[in-house]
Amino acid sequence: MTHPLTPSPHRAIDSLAVGEVAQICAIDRAGLAPETAQRLCELGFDEGVDIEILHRAPFGGDPIAVRVGNMVVALRRDMARLIEVGA
Amino acid sequence: MNAPVTGLAPQAARTPVVALVGNPNAGKTSLFNALTGSSQKVGNYPGVTVERKAGRLALPDGRSVELIDLPGTYSLNPRSPDEAVTRDAIFGRLPGEAPLDAIVAVVDATNLRNHLRFVLELKALDLPLIVALNMSDLAARDGIVIDVEQLAGQLEVPVVATVAVRKRGLDALAAALTRCIGDTAPPPASPRATDIRALQREARLLTAAVETSTGTARRWSQRIDRVALHPVVGPLLLAAILFFMFQGVFSWAELPKDWLEAGITLLQSRLTAALPEGWLLSLLNDGVLAGVGAVVVFLPQILILFAFIIALEQSGYMTRAAFLMDRLMARVGLNGRAFIPLLSSFACAVPGIMATRTIDSPRDRLTTILIAPLMTCSARLPVYAVVIGAFIPPRDVGPFGLQGLVLFGLYLAGILGALVAAFALRRTVTKGAAPPFLMEMPKYQWPAARDMALGLYGRATAFLKRAGTIILASTIVLWALASWPQPPADAARPGIEYSLAGRIGTALEPLFAPIGFNKEIAIALVPGMAAREVAVSALGTVYALQGVDEDNAGGLIEQLRTAWPLPTALAFLAWFVFAPQCISTLAITRRETASWRWPIFMFSYLFAAAYLAAGLTFHLATALGL
């Protein structure tokens, strides 16, 4: 299935290293309640926007703080897994 | 729903209404404070626990408008009661609010693209709109240059650069308002379907067209966060800040508390000198002044606590604390935002419960309110001190004193009780999925003195109005219960036993006997309803000791040692871990949940927990032969 020129293009932002910048390429909106999908959008999460993991909380690395555009947003990792970035 | 309201009032007397609307953290309240200053009034919208903040703003042409500060929201699709108020006010269907004449959309110049999306949503409503490009100084410092004229041209609405904390741009804003407010109110806007993602993209394109950024945005905030959110340093810093806060609450409040107590005592002695002995003197001294005293002696502590909470909120650190603590709070079904309100409840549950307003999920907020009284508040300390002093021998266990260990154990029992209660409540009465934890972490800012002062004033008056009136009234009622009927002249037993309170206590005795409480305890719990520490002086009264209070409990300690068996004393301590009796907490819960249902539920479940804990302790201690 994978084309040799585009190796594994998608991964969840959860798997980014702290400080690594990537671009959101897909948000699994079906996996979210409609209000939550909307709030994510209102906070600036959208396909094509830059995202970077800034911090992981103590006691297990959950939640995480991400920079999305000019905003810093805290979210739990179960939600972060629904947001995918390009390699 | 959108019926025109013309004809309700003569047009000449009409005061136009202008609302400040914007994202949270846009500096909206700072702008409101700068524009209205001391003319602002804080009230409540009917039926909901959302504050209504309004003030008068004079326009350059001599007219004046009523400016209202609507709760911050990300869009017109509300997720919380606060956000619903903003939407309803904008659509002119909020009870108690006139339809709006104009909207001032407050945007953070350092976060233009996110805030512009909301401006576009507001613009589609066709109400007169002005954009206040706030914090323009911070944008300049971050190397962000915004072409204000081009932005105004593209949006087709006036745009005014402002710096609320430095009072810059306010005249230009007032002038812009003068131009857009007509003689008659515009028809109210009606809701329409909006495609948030499309607006978001439009806002990004617009921002790219009007903004040139050369610096690193939020550089300072990111530097601070590297320390404040560090996996090891972050929690230590949080602990240090909280330690400092509690030091402040407990040590700085001592002196003004002493002054207030001395003032009340002075007034009481003046009255004693001026009035003849009798029920009037007793009402004024033991009812009214004691009631006022019970309220105001807490004021220094509560003000200091509020000052810390407001500073933590305005600086942006509060969200960091929530971030650090979210994981631990999640284990019992709460989120990180519940941490600070619960922590504040160690000083007093009243400001703690008032601080739950920052929790956006109604279920999480209710759960937090319900468990707040389980945090050992300062009013329990006098009770613990007396009973531990009387029954726990001052010997050492290893490197620790036994008395201190027992006190620590009582605090721990309260925390564990709260965790169990939260866990149980989230599965029963507050059942349901919590909205996911999704929280903007704003940039750090120095709290502005004016905003601190106005915020503190607002919360202090709210406390005095909400808790004060009920505490005063209930103290007078409890005074009456404890004073009537008067004992006969040849009374053999302490006077209180002849009173209504004494009779209620005596009637309750069979209820408390199974958990080891004697009649004296049952009686003392009745006037002790006013506040937990009142139980100490009430026990003094029951044992016919004069002038017992928390600073002068030696006689009472001696008396209790002979009157109570050890299991009873331990059961009494266990009771106070859960003790439901605190009228201020119940009153503030009534205010914050807008119904009697939850304070009644709170009282009942705490009573049941206290009863079970005391009973278990009593029987276990008896079985162990203590």
Side-chain angles (χ1 to χ4, degrees):
Chain A
M1 240 174 80
T2 47
H3 192 275
L5 290 177
T6 52
S8 81
H10 289 187
R11 55 187 177 131
I13 51 165
D14 188 36
S15 66
L16 288 178
V18 169
E20 191 182 341
V21 182
Q23 220 177 43
I24 299 178
C25 63
I27 298 175
D28 178 8
R29 293 186 175 80
L32 293 166
E35 316 87 73
T36 310
Q38 164 141 348
R39 182 51 45 101
L40 265 183
C41 188
E42 289 165 7
L43 290 170
F45 290 85
D46 198 2
E47 281 85 349
V49 175
D50 279 355
I51 192 164
E52 173 187 358
I53 294 200
L54 295 178
H55 306 278
R56 293 177 186 277
F59 318 118
D62 197 13
I64 59 174
V66 302
R67 180 185 62 77
V68 50
N70 260 357
M71 203 116 117
V72 178
V73 177
L75 70 164
R76 291 193 183 149
R77 281 166 72 180
D78 52 1
M79 197 190 296
R81 278 191 268 273
L82 302 176
I83 303 168
E84 293 186 331
V85 289
Chain B
M1 199 178 283
N2 294 322
V5 290
T6 46
L8 282 180
Q11 288 297 320
R14 199 181 73 93
T15 305
V17 181
V18 175
L20 294 181
V21 181
N23 282 30
N25 312 310
K28 205 168 47 60
T29 299
S30 285
L31 187 61
F32 176 75
N33 288 342
L35 286 168
T36 60
S38 56
S39 82
Q40 58 180 263
K41 286 195 174 58
V42 180
N44 249 51
Y45 286 109
V48 285
T49 58
V50 179
E51 273 181 358
R52 178 189 192 272
K53 293 207 272 184
R56 198 158 275 274
L57 170 67
L59 296 183
D61 65 353
R63 287 184 296 173
S64 69
V65 297
E66 182 175 45
L67 196 66
I68 55 175
D69 181 19
L70 290 174
T73 177
Y74 291 99
S75 74
L76 294 174
N77 300 290
R79 273 214 330 174
S80 71
D82 290 48
E83 297 179 0
V85 160
T86 300
R87 178 203 54 193
D88 291 346
I90 288 172
F91 293 134
R93 57 188 193 197
L94 186 67
E97 200 70 85
L100 303 180
D101 285 81
I103 292 174
V104 175
V106 187
V107 304
D108 175 357
T110 67
N111 197 357
L112 197 55
R113 65 185 202 183
N114 265 296
H115 289 205
L116 268 188
R117 194 258 313 136
F118 191 26
V119 171
L120 292 171
E121 198 178 343
L122 291 171
K123 189 191 152 200
L125 301 175
D126 289 329
L127 280 172
L129 178 70
I130 294 172
V131 173
L133 193 59
N134 198 28
M135 306 200 235
S136 45
D137 59 333
L138 295 182
R141 196 192 65 187
D142 276 355
I144 298 171
V145 181
I146 296 168
D147 187 336
V148 176
E149 268 176 43
Q150 202 196 339
L151 180 60
Q154 299 250 353
L155 284 171
E156 298 168 327
V157 299
V159 177
V160 181
T162 58
V163 183
V165 287
R166 310 220 182 292
K167 293 202 164 206
R168 278 189 219 144
L170 305 187
D171 292 341
L173 189 60
L177 269 175
T178 311
R179 287 190 290 274
C180 80
I181 292 176
D183 294 329
T184 52
S190 48
R192 61 202 67 206
T194 44
D195 180 352
I196 296 282
R197 285 174 71 196
L199 290 181
Q200 188 77 264
R201 282 176 191 160
E202 193 183 338
R204 284 207 295 272
L205 289 175
L206 192 54
T207 306
V210 300
E211 179 186 290
T212 25
S213 176
T214 51
T216 320
R218 301 176 54 114
R219 199 178 47 195
W220 276 105
S221 281
Q222 294 200 8
R223 277 188 192 164
I224 300 172
D225 271 344
R226 246 170 256 155
V227 178
L229 301 182
H230 187 276
V232 179
V233 183
L236 291 177
L237 182 70
L238 176 60
I241 288 173
L242 298 175
F243 181 77
F244 183 66
M245 173 167 135
F246 273 83
Q247 280 294 308
V249 168
F250 286 108
S251 57
W252 305 342
E254 262 328 290
L255 201 59
K257 193 177 159 200
D258 290 346
W259 292 338
L260 287 167
E261 279 175 343
I264 297 279
T265 313
L266 183 71
L267 279 175
Q268 285 171 328
S269 59
R270 286 279 165 83
L271 277 175
T272 311
L275 289 172
E277 187 80 19
W279 70 267
L280 180 64
L281 178 66
S282 179
L283 168 67
L284 292 176
N285 268 354
D286 305 332
V288 179
L289 279 178
V292 172
V295 180
V296 297
V297 295
F298 277 113
L299 201 56
Q301 224 179 51
I302 286 179
L303 284 180
I304 293 172
L305 195 59
F306 276 149
F308 273 106
I309 292 177
I310 292 171
L312 290 179
E313 276 172 1
Q314 294 190 352
S315 64
Y317 186 76
M318 193 67 103
T319 55
R320 273 69 181 185
F323 177 79
L324 292 173
M325 297 311 295
D326 181 64
R327 177 75 178 184
L328 296 182
M329 304 304 288
R331 298 221 174 123
V332 291
L334 291 171
N335 77 48
R337 287 179 192 265
F339 180 68
I340 296 283
L342 288 177
L343 201 86
S344 309
S345 302
F346 279 108
C348 175
V350 171
I353 288 172
M354 285 168 79
T356 60
R357 288 189 177 190
T358 56
I359 303 173
D360 54 0
S361 146
R363 282 197 196 94
D364 282 3
R365 177 160 179 250
L366 181 59
T367 315
T368 311
I369 290 175
L370 289 174
I371 64 169
L374 289 171
M375 302 294 133
T376 302
C377 66
S378 54
R380 284 174 173 101
L381 273 176
V383 181
Y384 287 167
V386 166
V387 180
I388 289 177
F391 290 95
I392 308 299
R395 58 186 170 81
D396 288 342
V397 179
F400 304 107
L402 182 60
Q403 291 188 330
L405 281 178
V406 170
L407 186 63
F408 180 74
L410 292 168
Y411 270 82
L412 205 62
I415 297 171
L416 290 177
L419 295 180
V420 172
F423 188 83
L425 289 169
R426 287 298 275 120
R427 270 150 195 83
T428 51
V429 282
T430 57
K431 192 162 76 179
F437 181 69
L438 200 52
M439 178 180 71
E440 179 185 352
M441 294 163 82
K443 59 181 172 293
Y444 287 103
Q445 279 180 291
W446 277 117
R450 179 178 52 235
D451 298 333
M452 285 276 300
L454 285 167
L456 199 54
Y457 175 77
R459 291 196 208 187
T461 45
F463 164 72
L464 285 177
K465 262 190 278 186
R466 286 167 202 175
T469 45
I470 293 196
I471 296 174
L472 178 59
S474 57
T475 316
I476 293 175
V477 169
L478 290 170
W479 165 82
L481 286 178
S483 308
W484 267 289
Q486 299 261 322
D490 58 344
R493 290 169 293 145
I496 192 171
E497 281 198 33
Y498 298 90
S499 69
L500 278 171
R503 287 172 202 195
I504 295 172
T506 310
L508 287 175
E509 192 195 347
L511 175 69
F512 287 112
I515 60 168
F517 285 10
N518 54 29
K519 186 172 73 179
E520 285 75 16
I521 297 179
I523 294 175
L525 288 179
V526 177
M529 270 304 300
R532 295 183 183 97
E533 81 277 17
V534 174
V536 173
S537 58
L539 279 172
T541 315
V542 183
Y543 285 110
L545 299 166
Q546 291 301 311
V548 170
D549 63 30
E550 53 192 273
D551 300 322
N552 177 26
L556 181 60
I557 288 179
E558 289 303 316
Q559 176 75 42
L560 292 184
R561 263 187 207 147
T562 54
W564 292 4
L566 182 58
T568 294
L570 295 177
F572 192 70
L573 287 176
W575 171 274
F576 267 87
V577 170
F578 298 96
Q581 64 267 34
C582 173
I583 286 195
S584 337
T585 304
L586 298 171
I588 210 75
T589 304
R590 150 87 186 86
R591 292 298 308 216
E592 294 294 316
T593 60
S595 90
W596 277 110
R597 192 173 154 211
W598 294 113
I600 290 171
F601 174 80
M602 179 191 272
F603 182 87
S604 314
Y605 106 83
L606 288 176
F607 188 96
Y611 194 87
L612 279 176
L616 274 174
T617 308
F618 178 73
H619 291 290
L620 200 65
T622 311
L624 289 173
L626 292 175

